[in-house]
Amino acid sequence: MGGNKNSSEWINLNNKEPSKTSYFFLEHVCKARIDLHIESGRHGCDQEINVYLAGLLTSLIASTTFIQHKPYISVFDHDIRNYLEAHPGLRNEFVVYRDNADFSLVSAGLFSGDNHRGSYHHIVISDKIDFGKIAIYYSMAASALTQLQGTQHSLVSVLDSMSKYLEEIYQILRYAAVTYFDMVEKISDASLYHLEMELAEEGKKILYREKVDEYLKLYSDYKAAPTEQLKIEINNVTRELKNMNDQFKGECLE
């Protein structure tokens, strides 16, 4: 496969004909279904799910959509809950749960088995794929979208089906990745370990900045209208910040 400058098209090296990248992935998702004897038509939204999976795969190489900075992406449920508590609303619920489900599915389908001994990823994440959690995320995204736009929106049915048939969808994605695609370049264990540690440190810095912003907002609210609840929240955040950085100058309120 050869891509052009914006990666929206590829060149078939057999016949030299250009084609959309999404068509390439869609074709091979369908081939994976056939090889696995999970042909489209078994469930109501199979064709739409094929297109959805092709879109996920295309997003990995055709744009920064999948890998752009998304502070709400996390392997930990409490991080996601904390983000949604700080950013409430059905629109955010839909985006956060769908993107976390997509990220977990693609990570498991394309990159599982690439951990190494001593890997930060290996230490904090179980080797077993949590299908239940990913399915719940898709279900919650479907629920939020239903409340936003009603049950007639086509994506509602797709997300709901992704939730119901997740293990089957994982098999299709994994088979296509292993059999047809070569999307992961292997690097040494030492290089990967250092890269993961750098990413972990960057994640801690982002979380610290967000906590400082939270502290400043709470303190501003407290100065404007002091309440016992705000005082408790400020003291809790203050203790968290001191645990993260012993140089933090804020003090708990008396």
Side-chain angles (χ1 to χ4, degrees), residues 95-203:
V95 171
V96 169
Y97 283 123
R98 183 196 60 182
D99 283 3
N100 272 282
D102 286 348
F103 185 85
S104 295
L105 175 62
V106 170
S107 295
L110 271 63
F111 307 125
S112 65
D114 290 313
N115 299 335
H116 57 89
R117 303 173 73 184
S119 161
Y120 175 81
H121 180 279
H122 179 77
I123 292 169
V124 300
I125 305 174
S126 169
D127 289 333
K128 185 177 180 181
I129 300 165
D130 194 343
F131 289 113
K133 182 173 75 171
I134 302 172
I136 288 172
Y137 287 169
Y138 275 124
S139 179
M140 295 181 79
S143 176
L145 186 59
T146 297
Q147 295 179 67
L148 283 168
Q149 300 193 18
T151 57
Q152 298 306 309
H153 195 291
S154 60
L155 187 54
V156 170
S157 297
V158 172
L159 295 174
D160 188 55
S161 294
M162 297 278 284
S163 173
K164 291 177 180 176
Y165 311 116
L166 184 67
E167 292 193 41
E168 183 178 283
I169 291 165
Y170 164 79
Q171 291 177 37
I172 295 165
L173 186 65
R174 183 65 181 170
Y175 183 89
V178 171
T179 307
Y180 301 121
F181 311 138
D182 186 16
M183 302 179 71
V184 184
E185 180 181 356
K186 299 291 185 181
I187 59 176
S188 71
D189 282 0
S191 297
L192 185 57
Y193 176 77
H194 287 299
L195 175 60
E196 288 173 329
M197 293 304 295
E198 288 174 11
L199 291 173
E201 287 302 315
E202 183 60 27

